[in-house]
Amino acid sequence: MTQTSLVHIMAAHSPLSAILAEEAGFDGLWASGFELSALYGLPDMSLISMTQHLDMLRAIAGRTTLSIVADIDTGYGNAINVIHAIGEYERAGASAVVIEDKTFPKVTSLVASGRQELLRIEEFKGKIAAAVTTRRDPDFLVIARTEALIAGLGETEALQRAQAYVDAGADMILIHSKKKDPSEIESFSRAWTGSVPLAIVPNAYPELNAERVKALGNIRMTIYGNYGIRAAATGLQETFRRIIADGGVQNVHKDILPVEEIFRLQRMDEIKSAESRFLC
Ligand code: SPV
Ligand code: MG
């Protein structure tokens, strides 16, 4: 397969983070389960409900023109739950879903000694086939994510699962690794001869940049999976600590966005012109 393009997808945990991602020039958004869980102060372990995730996705879709890739974890249950979820996510404004082959409830992939249990291949194939059969828009992407490397089952199992999921109708394979360098991903990519492209989430191996990804030739999507919430938490943590240390906001105010910039991001100008037009 020859590389045609690489899309850069930024995680969004709120409409504001989505607006900032769009302005920065990303190609699309990742409605990340990890980021939304963290926003609620919770670990990413199937604690956030589908309704909570959908509500945020709808709010994001209302404030951006970017396509949204929905991280629907395990699909909230079995193939029947997936059928329900696909209808909901398509209606909510997602352009794609990623479903992972872990058991429900899942444990976040990158945590040390996480309990990583995978579904039987046949059962997960049923979930992918259910998603593909349910979608209304043929361009709505069903991306199958295998956690075989995360579970320590090795490349042969990961390749076997990925091919089985393509056979079930998956449009793309997301291959994830928690190794601290990209060797597992690069090796998988070189070994992959399947008919669909790959997606990756270089959280544990950030040195796998666009240039290296393009050189591999079959990765079409890079998802920046936890950078939004980490950047936001960095800003909040530093600012809050400074205010306590300084005994006020007299220093910190110069180093954060002015309120006028927040007005711009809120599109206050549109409201002002509507006020002068319609508030008679
Ligand atoms: C997410 O952002 O929710 C992901 C990526 O699924 S990771 O947290 O690295 O598993
Ligand atoms: Mg996730």
Side-chain angles (χ1 to χ4, degrees):
M1 183 189 310
T2 50
Q3 180 80 46
T4 53
S5 61
L6 172 66
V7 293
H8 297 272
I9 307 291
M10 176 47 76
H13 53 264
S14 66
L16 183 62
S17 65
I19 291 167
L20 293 169
E22 181 163 5
E23 288 193 349
F26 286 95
D27 301 306
L29 299 168
W30 169 238
S32 159
F34 179 89
E35 293 220 358
L36 189 60
S37 301
L39 190 72
Y40 277 90
L42 290 169
D44 183 16
M45 294 176 68
S46 301
L47 301 176
I48 296 294
S49 71
M50 183 169 83
T51 304
Q52 285 173 300
H53 193 244
L54 278 166
D55 282 348
M56 184 57 82
L57 192 143
R58 278 191 209 97
I60 288 171
R63 302 306 275 176
T64 175
T65 62
L66 292 181
S67 298
I68 303 173
V69 181
D71 173 13
I72 66 168
D73 289 351
T74 62
Y76 304 99
N78 65 18
I80 306 305
N81 299 78
V82 168
I83 290 171
H84 178 61
I86 295 299
E88 294 289 316
Y89 278 88
E90 226 183 331
R91 271 193 295 280
S95 299
V97 289
V98 173
I99 316 176
E100 64 196 53
D101 58 359
K102 289 211 284 243
T103 55
F104 177 89
K106 60 160 271 185
V107 176
T108 190
S109 301
L110 304 186
V111 70
S113 1
R115 175 184 51 78
Q116 304 295 345
E117 289 164 7
L118 268 52
L119 282 190
R120 287 180 298 107
I121 293 178
E122 284 308 314
E123 190 177 350
F124 193 69
K125 281 179 76 175
K127 291 169 83 165
I128 294 299
V132 169
T133 307
T134 305
R135 68 177 163 202
R136 290 182 169 207
D137 178 356
D139 293 330
F140 183 90
L141 290 181
V142 174
I143 303 173
R145 163 171 166 174
T146 182
E147 294 279 287
L149 300 178
I150 296 284
L153 300 178
E155 184 174 294
T156 305
E157 173 85 13
L159 288 165
Q160 188 196 350
R161 282 179 172 266
Q163 186 54 56
Y165 305 158
V166 174
D167 294 344
D171 301 302
M172 197 180 279
I173 295 296
L174 192 156
I175 182 69
H176 206 22
S177 164
K178 61 182 173 192
K179 210 163 183 296
K180 294 276 190 270
D181 66 73
S183 56
E184 275 189 337
I185 294 297
E186 289 180 324
S187 175
F188 181 94
S189 164
R190 290 193 187 104
W192 177 243
T193 54
S195 57
V196 307
L198 303 175
I200 60 164
V201 192
N203 286 348
Y205 40 92
E207 66 271 34
L208 191 55
N209 62 15
E211 196 184 338
R212 283 177 72 168
V213 168
K214 283 184 184 160
L216 289 166
N218 56 6
I219 298 174
R220 195 66 42 80
M221 182 184 286
T222 295
I223 296 171
Y224 301 99
N226 58 29
Y227 282 80
I229 199 77
R230 285 167 60 196
T234 303
L236 294 174
Q237 192 175 63
E238 283 177 3
T239 305
F240 293 175
R241 285 177 177 169
R242 273 183 73 192
I243 293 168
I244 288 293
D246 294 350
V249 291
Q250 67 278 16
N251 297 325
V252 91
H253 80 99
K254 297 185 291 300
D255 298 328
I256 58 178
L257 293 179
V259 75
E260 289 74 20
E261 174 64 355
I262 304 299
F263 287 155
R264 187 188 69 76
L265 293 165
Q266 291 171 310
R267 299 186 206 154
M268 186 61 97
D269 54 339
E270 289 174 19
I271 300 300
K272 281 186 154 287
S273 71
E275 271 186 346
S276 50
R277 198 167 158 208
F278 300 120
L279 294 190
C280 308

